[in-house]
Amino acid sequence: MSEKRKCSCGRVWSISKHHSPMRDKDSEHCHCGEELVSWNGGVFYRVSLIEDIKNDDKN
Ligand SMILES: [Zn+2]
């Protein structure tokens, strides 16, 4: 079970949810620093980058 999430920076992430026997809290962030997902016990999430943004350093 996974879903796509597009960050405000333009990167597209796949976020999949997993059950965890251990209670834990954590979060995953985009490379730009924006929080993609956070959780607090019972589950955890894995994120993988589907579509990166082009480096646009041609100012
Ligand atoms: Zn981002």
Side-chain angles (χ1 to χ4, degrees):
M1 172 166 154
S2 66
E3 62 180 77
K4 284 185 185 175
R5 163 110 191 241
K6 187 170 186 179
C7 181
S8 57
C9 71
R11 291 183 181 92
V12 181
W13 295 85
S14 171
I15 300 176
S16 57
K17 183 180 181 180
H18 303 269
H19 289 282
S20 169
M22 294 192 294
R23 287 188 170 273
D24 197 8
K25 62 176 180 179
D26 206 347
S27 58
E28 292 283 356
H29 293 79
C30 180
H31 295 323
C32 74
E34 185 165 310
E35 186 176 281
L36 294 166
V37 62
S38 64
W39 60 94
N40 190 356
V43 296
F44 68 97
Y45 292 83
R46 284 256 170 79
V47 301
S48 57
L49 188 60
I50 295 176
E51 196 176 314
D52 205 348
I53 52 174
K54 290 176 178 140
N55 290 323
D56 207 8
D57 294 331
K58 299 176 200 161
N59 286 330

